[in-house]
Amino acid sequence: MSGLKSVPLSGARRSDGGGDAITQGRLVDREVDLELDCDVVVVGSGASGAAVAHELTAAGQRVIVLEEGGYFRPEQYGAMRPSETLRHLFRDGGLTFVLGVGDSPMVNMTMGRCVGGSSVLTGGVCFRIPGSILAGWHAMGLTMFTEEALEPAYQAVERATHIEEVPIQMRSQSTLAFERGARRLGYELKPMRRNTLGCDGCGRCNFGCPHQAKLSVDIAYLPGALAGGARLVSDCRVDTILTHGERAVGVTGRLYNGGGLRKPGSHFRVRARRVVMAAGAYNTPGVLRRLGIGRQSGQLGRNMTVHPAFRMMARFDRELNGWKGALQSAFSDAYEHERITLTALYVPPGVLAATMKGIGPEHVEKARGVPRLSIFGGMLHDDPGGQLHHLLGRTFSTYRMSARDREAMVRITEVMAETYFAAGAEQVYLPILGMDPVRSMDDLRRIDLRRIPAKRFECSSQHPLGTTRMGVSPAHSVIDPNGACWELEELFVVDGGIVPSSLGVNPQQAIMTLATRIAWHLRERPLPKS
Amino acid sequence: MPTSPPIDPSSGVPASELTLPPRLHRPRAVARALAVAECLFMSEAGPPPAERLTWLGRELDDFLERSGPDGRTGYLAALFALSLLAPLVGGQPRSLAAMPLEVRAQVLSRVEQGFASGLLLAVKAMLCIIYYEEAGAAQEIGFDGRCLVDSQAASERGQA
Ligand SMILES: Cc1cc2nc3c(=O)[nH]c(=O)nc-3n(C[C@H](O)[C@H](O)[C@H](O)COP(=O)(O)OP(=O)(O)OC[C@H]3O[C@@H](n4cnc5c(N)ncnc54)[C@H](O)[C@@H]3O)c2cc1C
Ligand code: SF4
């Protein structure tokens, strides 16, 4: 960083629109190193970072948000095909894999890497933290997290992101088919709550809403923060935290203006009186680790839960055109006691076709059946079997599934297949690689699912949590209940990493709520002198 | 409830950065992938139209270029491993591309049912995602989700 040229933010070349609020790092002159100054620097512009930036700006603090990914306007990402969104807005093009250790599945973990973070790519599903989970946190000593204490922050998030119930008439035929089976087996689907306003059910939420009807944080929080004076720099990767004595005093990193896509170029340094890490559960530990944080407790990058998720497809005798309708309109907690949540979903036809066994004419024949397919998902409230590792500046991860989760994975498969047969499906495609579809419950019973290696289960995750978990003791956690890092003053963590256990339900509302609660605490806490 | 307009309606990543480059970055990898694609998407009527495969190759190349080093390395490694493994599994002393289409289909089917099924799924997944975004390919399987296929339509709807 020696020879860093000091350039105020206003001296950097701006995005072509000339607006003051956003500087796109990729457009900054390669010869220019940035040096910026603020009260609070927020690393990451996703669900948690945007909520914190919004709250602190409203409280009059000078905030700079730094985001590794690019800045795509809603009209831009809304016009992309899924594979375009994958390559531009997802981390690693959606190809991040968590290695299964022992008899565990390989997990395809997807995350956002853009202004707005993973929030731009959600299905919009929102849940408050279930009471049973809060009870578990209380057992860990986190007794401050009660329904009543969280209520104001819940309400603030629900207002800002407009969380509403999905009307029953927006359920797709795919969801209705599954629901028929559920009813016959004696359980109900409940309406999902989502952060939407004016949703028309076009079903492409996971690739960015083209109508700005999903109130992801680039729509719900960042505009207000930027209008209130916050500044955002995109295409810039934070590598290290600057310290002075025992205190965090800023961050440094590189801008992606090195020529060519995603090539680091010039350096930047942001001096701040307070540092807030919101880079996501998968990324924050890598930055903290460079400072040696986490050695004391040994917990940094550990305890990762992922909510392993499994998709089940079933073919019916008629066309369902399941892509028409709200993407995730209903769920069931009927199997909560087995730590399973069932959720409606839909994925693009290419993904459906890819997961069905077959090459050539066999593949084509199955792909032609896509309009007749229904699809439903099951998610596990898992034990903390994941861990992050760092090698040569890169992060990779491993996941060891517990024995009871292994059993629950089989139960998810059984429950969803049984539901589909009860609904009258002709064929059910189990989430098992290379397996032919099953045609009846008898077929299903003949397969010993418990003997099939976990590696053959097709598993995905969108919810890494817990890698910088909060707790009441520095011996067992990385941050305290107010988001403060135990080992460095004025360093706070607010992202999904702080969630101390798996939630069993989609986490964005919980993450935004916890981040809002921490922001309110920071609002009251005097900033240290520069 | 948001009260402010979008962040900065006139900025965002410049459109020029979103277009496909004139030349392939990784012609060899693309050729390997297309050897799988030609056979994967072959129907009773024969292989898919050549121009559709060319389009698929360019899109895949762009995808790999933009998706970052970790995702790219993983995909290229899976593709490379598949191209080494498939001839071994199929008992064929030639590369996938050099095998007649029917033989290639048999070999890949064997891979799909064996221990390397994950490798094939990784390669197949990205090929399928892109392939069925092509309007003609989507139409052939009866998919009319406009916002997921045709970017022009999505764009018009986005601005509506
Ligand atoms: C496809 C998909 C669908 C989902 N659907 C749902 C859903 O329906 N409901 C739900 O509740 N949850 C859903 N989730 C999960 C939800 O989006 C996340 O749990 C939530 O956004 C996490 O918030 P976060 O702030 O921790 O991280 P993120 O929102 O991921 O934000 C982190 C940001 O930090 C940036 N960053 C990382 N490292 C650096 C660095 N070194 N320097 C600068 N910036 C950095 C990243 O690029 C990213 O933009 C989904 C996620 C995905 C990917
Ligand atoms: S289903 Fe609704 S929220 Fe999802 S992309 Fe379509 S309009 Fe947006």
Side-chain angles (χ1 to χ4, degrees), chain A residues 122-124 170 194-215 325-328, chain B residues 147 157:
Chain A
T122 70
M170 285 189 68
R194 297 167 77 232
N195 53 330
T196 53
L197 180 64
C199 164
D200 77 352
C202 72
R204 57 156 284 160
C205 323
N206 287 147
F207 302 98
C209 175
H211 313 306
Q212 299 176 41
K214 182 179 74 184
L215 298 191
L327 188 77
Q328 298 198 273
Chain B
C147 279
R157 288 166 62 99

Side-chain angles (χ1 to χ4, degrees), chain A residues 47-48 67-68 91 114 117-118 121-123 125 238 279 495-496 506-508:
Chain A
S48 60
E67 169 55 51
E68 183 184 2
R91 183 162 295 277
C114 56
S118 306
L121 310 169
T122 70
V125 173
V238 169
D495 57 39
N506 309 49
Q508 66 167 339

Side-chain angles (χ1 to χ4, degrees), chain A residues 377-400:
Chain A
M379 187 170 82
L380 254 180
H381 166 35
D382 59 330
D383 292 322
Q387 191 177 344
L388 299 176
H389 310 269
H390 304 276
L391 190 68
L392 305 172
R394 297 234 183 284
T395 299
F396 70 99
S397 57
T398 52
Y399 186 72
R400 186 184 289 280

Side-chain angles (χ1 to χ4, degrees), chain A residues 122-145:
Chain A
T122 70
V125 173
C126 291
F127 282 97
R128 288 185 170 201
I129 304 166
S132 58
I133 300 295
L134 289 180
W137 293 8
H138 295 168
M140 296 176 189
L142 293 162
T143 48
M144 59 296 287
F145 293 101

Side-chain angles (χ1 to χ4, degrees), chain A residues 224-501:
Chain A
L226 299 184
R231 295 289 172 264
L232 191 149
V233 186
S234 68
D235 312 286
C236 80
R237 187 193 66 215
V238 169
D239 292 327
T240 43
I241 296 170
L242 290 167
T243 57
H244 182 75
E246 297 295 302
R247 216 178 88 192
V249 293
V251 296
T252 65
R254 306 282 294 272
L255 299 179
Y256 285 104
N257 61 352
L261 297 158
R262 302 197 181 194
K263 205 155 171 218
S266 54
H267 294 260
F268 67 84
R269 177 161 60 190
V270 179
R271 295 200 166 278
R273 295 154 83 183
R274 186 166 280 158
V275 175
V276 174
M277 287 301 302
Y282 199 82
N283 308 297
T284 287
V287 179
L288 299 195
R289 193 179 155 272
R290 286 189 196 104
L291 281 181
I293 287 173
R295 289 216 188 103
Q296 207 174 316
S297 65
Q299 299 302 321
L300 186 76
R302 292 178 178 264
N303 311 304
M304 183 169 73
T305 59
V306 302
H307 287 162
F310 304 89
R311 280 190 300 250
M312 178 82 71
M313 298 182 292
R315 185 157 146 164
F316 285 79
D317 59 0
R318 60 191 180 284
E319 290 195 354
L320 303 172
N321 298 333
W323 53 88
K324 292 178 182 161
L327 188 77
Q328 298 198 273
S329 58
F331 76 103
S332 170
D333 54 9
Y335 293 88
E336 200 183 0
H337 59 287
E338 296 191 59
R339 298 177 308 117
I340 293 171
T341 306
L342 302 175
T343 53
L345 54 92
Y346 206 79
V347 294
V351 180
L352 294 178
T355 49
M356 296 186 288
K357 184 179 151 267
I359 301 287
E362 186 189 350
H363 167 82
V364 173
E365 192 273 324
K366 285 187 177 142
R368 287 194 182 127
V370 161
R372 288 160 58 190
L373 286 182
S374 166
I375 173 164
F376 221 80
M379 187 170 82
L380 254 180
H381 166 35
D382 59 330
D383 292 322
Q387 191 177 344
L388 299 176
H389 310 269
H390 304 276
L391 190 68
L392 305 172
R394 297 234 183 284
T395 299
F396 70 99
S397 57
T398 52
Y399 186 72
R400 186 184 289 280
M401 192 176 243
S402 68
R404 64 177 189 157
D405 288 351
R406 172 87 174 72
E407 174 59 22
M409 174 172 81
V410 169
R411 282 294 294 144
I412 284 186
T413 311
E414 288 171 346
V415 164
M416 289 201 289
E418 197 180 351
T419 307
Y420 269 134
F421 283 123
E426 287 179 339
Q427 296 180 0
V428 170
Y429 293 85
L430 306 182
I432 296 169
L433 298 177
M435 184 175 269
D436 283 316
V438 287
R439 290 163 199 279
S440 66
M441 276 307 291
D442 284 344
D443 263 8
L444 182 68
R445 283 189 203 101
R446 274 194 286 274
I447 302 169
D448 189 351
L449 290 169
R450 285 165 186 82
R451 291 180 72 97
I452 294 179
K455 297 261 174 326
R456 282 190 62 199
F457 280 74
E458 195 214 325
C459 180
S460 64
S461 161
Q462 291 79 34
H463 307 160
L465 300 170
T467 53
T468 50
R469 78 173 174 197
M470 68 176 151
V472 289
S473 144
H476 303 114
S477 57
V478 180
I479 64 152
D480 79 7
N482 288 321
C485 177
W486 290 112
E487 295 175 46
L488 190 65
E489 283 169 34
E490 297 308 330
L491 172 62
F492 291 80
V493 183
V494 296
D495 57 39
I498 70 175
V499 179
S501 74

